[in-house]
Amino acid sequence: MQTPTETQTPGVFVSLPNSDEAGNARDNLLLKISANSNLPALGGSVSKVVELASSNDEAVRKLAHFVLSDVALTQKILMVANAACYRTTSGTPVTTISKAIFMLGFDTVKTVALAMLLVDGMSGKRGKAVRAELGHALASSVFARELARRSHFKDAEEAAVAALFKNIGRVLVAAHDHNLYSQITALSDSGAPPATASMQVLGCTYEMLADAVLVEWKIPETIIHALAPLPSGVLKQAKSRQEWMQQVAAFSSTAATLIGNMNDQADDVASRALLTRFGAALNLDQAKLGQLFATVGEEARTVMKSTGWTPPAPVIPGAAPTVEREAKSVESREKADEQGIPEGLLFSTEPLAPLQTDVRHPSGKPVNARDLLMAGVQDVTEMMASGRCKTNDLIMLVLETLYRSMGFRFATICLKDLKTDQFRARIALGENNAARQAGFVFPAKSSRDLFHLAMENDADLLISDASDAKIRDLVPAWHRALLPDARSFIVLPLQVQKKAVGLFYADRVQPAPEGVPSDETTLIKMLKGQVTAALNGRT
């Protein structure tokens, strides 16, 4: 007689019935999964994204921060945003995560990011079975996301997360023990129900294995419960959000097996069976189901193409244009002298000489910075014209445009805190952004340093090399303590009704002798002006 036993391995816990051969196979599989150093990191990343359960300003910022912290993930999200099925009417490329969230929607970017994390977490496990299971998971999530858009339930997008994890047990087995996966598949193909087949080979079902891993990843119970099997037969409309999520996850997983093959006679029969079982529950008829498959098919292909199975295409097509080298004018020198700002720190406004066309300068600044800034200006203009633009979204988009387009390692917007009479960083991007944001605070009281001089004179500053003797004397002590390795940076003051309300700041750890040519200067001033206009409109 079998007795229940608890099997625990580092990182994974499962409570399952004991069996001899199957139990040994299961235990060995769990050891392999636990030995995978990628899995705990994957679980931590997944749980961070899953916990972003709403699209308020803070959640949007956190999602943007998370995506931007991973260069590969950033590139994949932008690739999705620039796909034909999401392309804007203007046709301009999307070059920032902030714009991608605004255009695609918070929930879409969140689910796509989770799907890509799952794919990347299985790096090195690129066998045919793993690709098939991951493709199934991605397609399932797109089906569920489309159904969530039509739902009246609050936070319906959580169903897309549940659908993504519906077959996580199969993914894990395929990735870590192909022999066991093949045995279970062979039994299923011979007519055994999947649960029976996996129980016979593993001593547990795929669902049990999935529960164990998702609990370890601290995934919310609502999502884990949505993965539970449904009763057989025709389903009725759900009486609760939890039941609806369970129906959507099951429907999406089944529908994903049919996508791309709807013209086959066998799959036509399967689609009718799918409609019979889920039609009444999910308010689907033949026409709606056909439309759903058409929509999901295009989106699913876009997401799968962007996951890394194929090399990602560049987000901005075309070669970098020729840009121009900075020159100093008599007017600029005279203005600097009048304001008490050392010569050479003001942005240039004159025509300049050609630059090289390398990908990046030694400072880290992209050579095609002008293209990137231009795309950012277009994104901001489109966002403002939509009528749905929030000031915080606009600030985030401008900050990200500066950060990415100019190759900065840290960027922030600093606003005046009237209660404490200080300027304080409110949003930050880049390396160690949370700690640096917390420390980026300085008194509002006037002082002869770069930051106060910039704000008092409304002067946009470029510091190409902070180690220069004439610069060092104007760098305040708090900045030297917080960012001792900042070698080049910009300061863009913000004024509302001719009063300083804050500034944009961004830096690099390398000097930037290439400077900022006049065409880039104009675009940066335009970005700043759009934020200033929004802040003026709020007063």
Side-chain angles (χ1 to χ4, degrees):
M1 178 178 175
Q2 294 180 0
T3 57
T5 183
E6 292 182 338
T7 300
Q8 189 168 4
T9 57
V12 179
F13 177 87
V14 186
S15 179
L16 298 168
N18 189 22
S19 62
D20 298 332
E21 189 174 342
N24 290 334
R26 179 195 67 233
D27 294 345
N28 289 333
L29 172 64
L30 291 173
L31 285 171
K32 288 180 182 179
I33 293 173
S34 298
N36 183 351
S37 59
N38 290 335
L39 202 60
L42 172 62
S45 298
V46 165
S47 62
K48 281 182 184 178
V49 177
V50 170
E51 73 182 13
L52 300 177
S54 66
S55 56
N56 58 34
D57 291 342
E58 185 63 21
V60 169
R61 279 199 294 273
K62 285 183 177 179
L63 179 59
H65 284 166
F66 180 87
V67 174
L68 286 167
S69 67
D70 185 324
V71 174
L73 184 58
T74 298
Q75 188 177 26
K76 291 171 184 176
I77 295 292
L78 291 178
M79 187 176 177
V80 171
N82 284 285
C85 61
Y86 293 119
R87 195 168 296 153
T88 60
T89 53
S90 67
T92 57
V94 178
T95 60
T96 61
I97 296 302
S98 303
K99 175 65 182 299
I101 294 174
F102 179 80
M103 188 182 76
L104 304 182
F106 174 87
D107 300 324
T108 297
V109 174
K110 172 183 167 179
T111 309
V112 170
L114 281 170
M116 292 174 177
L117 285 173
L118 187 60
V119 170
D120 289 345
M122 299 298 161
S123 60
K125 310 291 186 180
R126 305 262 172 152
K128 183 177 179 181
V130 181
R131 286 197 295 272
E133 293 296 349
L134 286 171
H136 179 275
L138 298 177
S140 296
S141 71
V142 179
F143 268 109
R145 194 170 73 236
E146 192 63 30
L147 289 173
R149 289 172 181 160
R150 310 174 185 190
S151 172
H152 66 278
F153 286 108
K154 183 181 179 182
D155 297 328
E157 73 282 350
E158 203 171 34
V161 180
L164 180 68
F165 293 136
K166 181 68 175 175
N167 74 326
I168 188 66
R170 298 178 62 91
V171 172
L172 289 167
V173 177
H176 292 90
D177 198 318
H178 183 72
N179 182 48
L180 293 178
Y181 177 84
S182 297
Q183 291 180 46
I184 297 170
T185 302
L187 284 172
S188 297
D189 290 345
S190 67
T196 302
S198 55
M199 184 66 77
Q200 183 174 330
V201 174
L202 286 179
C204 68
T205 64
Y206 281 133
E207 288 77 14
M208 290 175 179
L209 184 64
D211 284 357
V213 172
L214 295 180
V215 167
E216 182 65 24
W217 287 355
K218 297 180 173 58
I219 300 301
E221 288 186 0
T222 52
I223 291 175
I224 296 175
H225 290 164
L227 308 182
L230 287 166
S232 59
V234 177
L235 299 172
K236 298 179 180 179
Q237 283 197 345
K239 296 180 180 178
S240 67
R241 175 177 170 274
Q242 184 67 64
E243 185 183 0
W244 174 82
M245 283 179 56
Q246 193 178 357
Q247 291 176 348
V248 170
F251 168 87
S252 300
S253 183
T254 305
T257 63
L258 307 179
I259 198 166
N261 299 304
M262 293 300 290
N263 293 327
D264 293 351
Q265 185 176 0
D267 285 323
D268 185 51
V269 172
S271 69
R272 288 201 298 271
L274 182 72
L275 189 61
T276 299
R277 178 160 163 76
F278 291 96
L282 299 177
N283 190 29
L284 293 170
D285 56 24
Q286 191 65 50
K288 290 178 180 177
L289 185 65
Q291 183 184 35
L292 181 64
F293 268 93
T295 301
V296 168
E298 187 175 5
E299 289 194 33
R301 282 189 292 274
T302 297
V303 174
M304 282 188 272
K305 184 180 178 182
S306 307
T307 57
W309 300 128
T310 55
V315 174
I316 300 178
T322 300
V323 292
E324 301 175 319
R325 189 174 301 277
E326 185 180 18
K328 299 174 183 177
S329 67
V330 173
E331 181 185 356
S332 176
R333 289 196 295 271
E334 290 175 349
K335 184 177 180 182
D337 291 339
E338 291 173 0
Q339 297 173 342
I341 300 168
E343 173 189 335
L345 300 191
L346 293 169
F347 283 77
S348 169
T349 56
E350 289 192 2
L352 312 168
L355 273 180
Q356 300 176 1
T357 55
D358 299 325
V359 175
R360 284 181 184 268
H361 298 284
S363 66
K365 176 187 172 183
V367 168
N368 65 333
R370 177 189 174 279
D371 267 1
L372 298 168
L373 288 167
M374 178 65 79
V377 169
Q378 292 172 334
D379 286 348
V380 172
T381 302
E382 186 177 332
M383 180 183 283
M384 295 179 75
S386 71
R388 299 183 289 116
C389 178
K390 298 178 182 178
T391 302
N392 285 338
D393 292 343
L394 179 68
I395 289 173
M396 184 70 182
L397 176 55
V398 170
L399 184 65
E400 188 188 342
T401 297
L402 292 171
Y403 168 69
R404 286 174 52 79
S405 301
M406 302 295 286
F408 292 116
R409 65 90 185 250
F410 171 71
T412 187
I413 181 171
C414 195
L415 298 176
K416 190 171 185 179
D417 185 339
L418 296 177
K419 292 182 180 179
T420 62
D421 198 31
Q422 293 176 313
F423 288 100
R424 184 179 299 275
R426 304 297 178 143
I427 307 172
L429 294 174
E431 181 184 299
N432 201 16
N433 62 78
R436 288 179 173 139
Q437 178 181 333
F440 204 102
V441 182
F442 61 93
K445 184 179 178 182
S446 179
S447 174
R448 194 177 183 278
D449 62 45
L450 287 173
F451 296 91
H452 285 97
L453 286 171
M455 288 189 290
E456 289 166 7
N457 293 283
D458 193 21
D460 299 329
L461 304 186
L462 161 69
I463 288 76
S464 295
D465 190 347
S467 66
D468 190 291
K470 67 183 178 183
I471 306 300
R472 284 200 306 266
D473 293 340
L474 291 175
V475 177
W478 66 265
H479 182 274
R480 290 195 298 269
L482 180 67
L483 299 155
D485 56 348
R487 288 291 302 277
S488 56
F489 57 90
I490 62 170
V491 180
L492 309 176
L494 299 168
Q495 285 195 352
V496 172
Q497 297 177 358
K498 298 185 178 181
K499 292 182 180 179
V501 296
L503 54 85
F504 282 106
Y505 167 89
D507 67 28
R508 308 183 190 93
V509 296
Q510 299 294 333
E514 70 276 359
V516 181
S518 60
D519 50 359
E520 294 173 12
T521 297
T522 300
L523 294 169
I524 290 172
K525 288 180 178 293
M526 288 176 66
L527 288 167
K528 190 187 87 162
Q530 288 166 316
V531 172
T532 302
L535 292 173
N536 270 299
R538 211 165 59 166
T539 59

